[in-house]
Amino acid sequence: MRHIVNEGETIAKIAYMYGIRPFDLLLFNRHLDSESAYVKPGTKLHITNSISQSDPFDWDGKAEFSQVDLENILPLMKSMGVGVEIIGYSVMRKPIYALTVGRGEKEIFYSGGWHANEWHTSKFLTLFIHQLALKDQMDEEWEEYRIQKLLDHVKLVVVPLVNPDGVDLVLQGIYKEHPFYDQILQMNKGMTGFDHWSSNIRGVDLNHQWAAGWEIEAEESPQQPWSRHYSGTKPLTEPEAKAIYRLTKEHCFNYVLAFHSQGQVIYWGYRGLEPAESNEMVRRLSLKSSYTPIHTADSDGGYKDWFIKETGKPGFTIEVGVGTNPLSPKAFAEVWSNNCLLALEGLCLWDR
Ligand SMILES: [Zn+2]
């Protein structure tokens, strides 16, 4: 059998799809020199002894997660009553999806995949909303949370993958046909590895794009497009950040949780502008996850910062996992078990 590599695919993902080991792919495709080699779109691979996997959910963490995986799950999500909406497009014109469950008046917003090397957060949020829809449909409890009743009060909006171009770059590297080939190599000083990349495809950090002390953060950060931390020439120059801005403006979120991956901590303040109830809320999130609450990271320009400043409502940055980004695919199991309760408790924070 032959497989032609799609955008956002890796050796681990292709092996998982066919139910074989990454090592088997190397055996029959001698042009691949290691399990972590990049495989560019259009590459032809020989597949042998495959047992096709019908389960799109890789709970054990055998493979990475990107836009193509999210899009594969969308038809299933729709069939379960999950709302699927395109809220904008990335620089490379990939759709940015918002998924919605629940019927209630309390609107809550979860987002992930802001940084290119933090795809665990995208996978977590996608699988979380799928489980939520399933429990709602079956009227089942989940960890003693009565989901159907909860979703009568709550509408949860989730954007699992804010930065699809960036995630694909981290997973697949750069190749001649890539429309940003020259710019990316220049920004990356000629290096061809992208594990450290967290920006979008134009070298702008999407969590540095927000009008909350933006000037302060911009001054202390790189002054030109870069793999990380470049704030752009002004707030909201990037289409991915604009899409989140519009979505936030169109809704009336009671509070927001933005998921990132590094440190197992929860940031909950912004220059003292956060409301008093944020303190009690973060205590509850921390109890459910054992992540440490930290008032502020002494930084500006983030989405959570802007949300707090703009609305006066609570905003949280959840840092899942610990180690070096990108965390290994195997780390997903721990991310899942540490964050399910936190994300469930996040649906009830309005209820004191
Ligand atoms: Zn991040």
Side-chain angles (χ1 to χ4, degrees), residues 38-97:
Y38 293 128
V39 278
K40 71 175 187 180
T43 307
K44 296 182 184 96
L45 298 178
H46 296 286
I47 309 287
T48 50
N49 302 327
S50 93
I51 40 160
S52 103
Q53 307 258 61
S54 54
D55 184 3
F57 306 116
D58 164 31
W59 300 101
D60 301 336
K62 290 197 173 66
E64 304 87 346
F65 187 92
S66 66
Q67 180 87 346
V68 68
D69 304 282
L70 172 60
E71 289 183 334
N72 283 341
I73 297 172
L74 290 181
L76 176 64
M77 295 271 210
K78 283 183 191 163
S79 74
M80 295 169 65
V82 176
V84 177
E85 188 196 350
I86 294 174
I87 59 160
Y89 292 87
S90 67
V91 171
M92 289 175 67
R93 302 294 300 162
K94 289 171 196 160
I96 299 169
Y97 296 99

Side-chain angles (χ1 to χ4, degrees), residues 105-310:
E105 287 186 347
K106 309 281 180 198
E107 289 196 310
I108 300 169
F109 180 44
Y110 292 0
S111 56
W114 287 85
H115 286 138
N117 52 6
E118 300 182 0
W119 57 263
H120 287 73
T121 58
S122 306
K123 182 172 176 179
F124 171 75
L125 289 173
T126 304
L127 300 199
F128 179 77
I129 201 164
H130 171 262
Q131 281 294 301
L132 215 50
L134 195 67
K135 303 287 183 191
D136 186 28
Q137 205 174 37
M138 312 290 281
D139 193 13
E140 285 176 3
E141 286 191 2
W142 185 5
E143 301 278 2
E144 297 180 356
Y145 289 83
R146 295 179 58 194
I147 301 304
Q148 208 175 68
K149 190 156 169 270
L150 193 52
L151 293 180
D152 287 338
H153 293 287
V154 165
K155 180 186 277 183
L156 174 67
V157 181
V158 176
V159 174
L161 185 40
V162 178
N163 183 7
D165 301 345
V167 171
D168 282 352
L169 176 69
V170 166
L171 297 187
Q172 216 159 21
I174 199 78
Y175 39 89
K176 273 265 180 313
E177 302 81 358
H178 194 291
F180 286 79
Y181 180 80
D182 292 324
Q183 294 98 308
I184 291 283
L185 278 185
Q186 197 186 4
M187 282 184 260
N188 211 34
K189 298 273 177 211
M191 292 184 295
T192 52
F194 292 92
D195 281 356
H196 62 295
W197 194 278
S198 63
S199 300
N200 78 348
I201 206 72
R202 286 203 290 231
V204 180
D205 190 320
L206 298 176
N207 204 35
H208 274 224
Q209 273 266 287
W210 298 87
W214 178 88
E215 295 80 2
I216 304 167
E217 194 67 29
E219 186 160 331
E220 294 168 353
S221 301
Q223 296 301 305
Q224 58 194 24
W226 203 249
S227 56
R228 56 199 304 154
H229 297 167
Y230 173 58
S231 301
T233 51
K234 58 182 184 185
L236 299 180
T237 52
E238 300 309 293
E240 298 90 348
K242 272 186 203 147
I244 298 293
Y245 174 82
R246 281 194 307 267
L247 179 81
T248 310
K249 283 290 191 185
E250 281 163 16
H251 288 263
C252 188
F253 296 126
N254 288 62
Y255 49 86
V256 300
L257 273 62
F259 287 77
H260 288 259
S261 77
Q262 210 45 258
Q264 302 191 330
V265 295
I266 309 170
Y267 297 106
W268 58 279
Y270 179 63
R271 295 189 175 267
L273 298 174
E274 69 284 354
E277 71 252 36
S278 295
N279 198 349
E280 171 61 14
M281 287 176 167
V282 78
R283 198 187 61 81
R284 288 169 63 179
L285 294 174
S286 171
L287 271 178
K288 297 289 179 180
S289 58
S290 75
Y291 289 0
T292 310
I294 297 183
H295 181 245
T296 125
D298 204 20
S299 67
D300 295 271
Y303 172 69
K304 165 212 49 115
D305 307 333
W306 170 79
F307 183 81
I308 292 173
K309 179 170 179 260
E310 181 79 4

